Amino acid sequence: MIKIRNLNKRFKTDELETLALNNVSFQIEKGEFTAIMGPSGCGKSTLLNILGMLDGSTDGSYLFDGTEVGGFNEKQHAELRKGTIGFVFQKFNLIDELTVSENVELPLIYLQMNKNERKAKVQEVLRRMKIDHRSKHFPQQLSGGQQQRVAISRAVVTNPKLILADEPTGNLDSKNGIEVMNLLSELNKDGATIVMVTHSDRDSKYADRVINLFDGQIASEHLAITA
């Protein structure tokens, strides 16, 4: 599904050029659960943003499901990303003014799906994530674990080919963190391809494979130890 070859990302200011990713190459197969680990500032989030087409590389090749997207502009990235990639963030990124159902429904509105179909899909995914009893609540009325369930619901409601998770348990206690990782593991077993950035050794054990970054380069890769 993902083939990265000789990927570089440079950030420039008037006085400084920073090489955030340096000649990175790897491949992720459909249905794989991959964890990306490494110290703060090593390039993990930069890489995840490029994989999610929220940012572009400076040079190098990025094949997504057979399409070369390395040279795409912002509009092309947005069009391909829509309905194809689901995002789960550490800080949930829910909209406080919208209810749980309305937050989850947003990606379907962007896809211009009709109202009845949207409502049915939202109800289905909220039931699956065991948060349907909170559908009319607002994010601030929920616990952190519940908010992350809503965020995962929003990420998967379009049945995306790829789920990108950035420190998905970073703001959760251990109990809720384990519940969220179990949810991601279930989604992976059902066929979802997942790439997760994490500092957590515990969370990395849910993955099939771990890629370790250091100073913008791949330091090592290894199979994960089963959780």
Side-chain angles (χ1 to χ4, degrees):
M1 172 175 280
I2 291 173
K3 293 183 180 180
I4 298 291
R5 292 289 178 270
N6 305 318
L7 198 74
N8 294 290
K9 179 62 178 181
R10 297 180 182 88
F11 293 102
K12 293 183 179 180
T13 65
D14 292 338
E15 301 177 353
L16 184 67
E17 177 177 301
T18 301
L19 186 59
L21 294 174
N22 183 9
N23 202 36
V24 171
S25 297
F26 63 89
Q27 186 167 323
I28 295 174
E29 301 296 337
K30 182 179 179 182
E32 189 175 358
F33 191 154
T34 301
I36 300 175
M37 302 188 73
S40 297
C42 72
K44 301 187 302 297
S45 292
T46 298
L47 178 57
L48 203 71
N49 285 340
I50 291 173
L51 293 180
M53 304 179 207
L54 299 173
D55 195 3
S57 60
T58 303
D59 50 61
S61 173
Y62 174 14
L63 278 173
F64 177 78
D65 210 21
T67 299
E68 174 60 62
V69 301
F72 275 23
N73 60 34
E74 185 176 344
K75 183 177 180 181
Q76 290 172 312
H77 277 153
E79 190 60 33
L80 182 57
R81 184 172 66 236
K82 186 170 59 178
T84 305
I85 301 175
F87 297 89
V88 180
F89 301 97
Q90 177 179 348
K91 295 183 178 179
F92 318 132
N93 286 18
L94 301 174
I95 299 174
D96 289 340
E97 294 77 19
L98 299 181
T99 65
V100 165
S101 289
E102 290 167 341
N103 268 281
V104 176
E105 187 182 13
L106 270 180
L108 303 177
I109 293 175
Y110 296 147
L111 290 176
Q112 299 182 332
M113 185 178 292
N114 72 67
K115 186 175 181 179
N116 289 337
E117 191 174 356
R118 291 200 311 264
K119 297 298 183 185
K121 279 189 168 290
V122 169
Q123 290 173 4
E124 177 187 354
V125 75
L126 289 178
R127 281 196 300 270
R128 183 179 184 186
M129 296 298 141
K130 299 178 181 177
I131 195 68
D132 53 308
H133 61 295
R134 298 287 192 179
S135 64
K136 297 186 184 301
H137 287 69
F138 291 91
Q140 292 182 343
Q141 297 174 302
L142 307 179
S143 69
Q146 289 171 333
Q147 288 188 61
Q148 195 61 295
R149 284 176 180 269
V150 177
I152 294 173
S153 299
R154 181 184 58 190
V156 304
V157 72
T158 60
N159 297 316
K161 295 180 179 180
L162 175 66
I163 298 172
L164 299 177
D166 191 359
E167 299 284 359
T169 68
N171 281 340
L172 304 177
D173 59 32
S174 59
K175 179 178 181 293
N176 281 304
I178 289 171
E179 288 181 359
V180 164
M181 289 309 304
N182 285 336
L183 285 174
L184 291 175
S185 182
E186 288 172 14
L187 290 168
N188 176 244
K189 288 175 182 176
D190 287 342
T193 304
I194 299 176
V195 179
M196 174 184 67
V197 161
T198 183
H199 281 101
S200 168
D201 289 329
R202 181 201 68 196
D203 292 356
S204 72
K205 293 176 182 178
Y206 286 82
D208 302 311
R209 181 168 56 119
V210 177
I211 297 174
N212 287 292
L213 289 184
F214 187 78
D215 286 348
Q217 295 180 301
I218 293 180
S220 64
E221 295 184 47
H222 61 85
L223 296 178
I225 301 171
T226 304

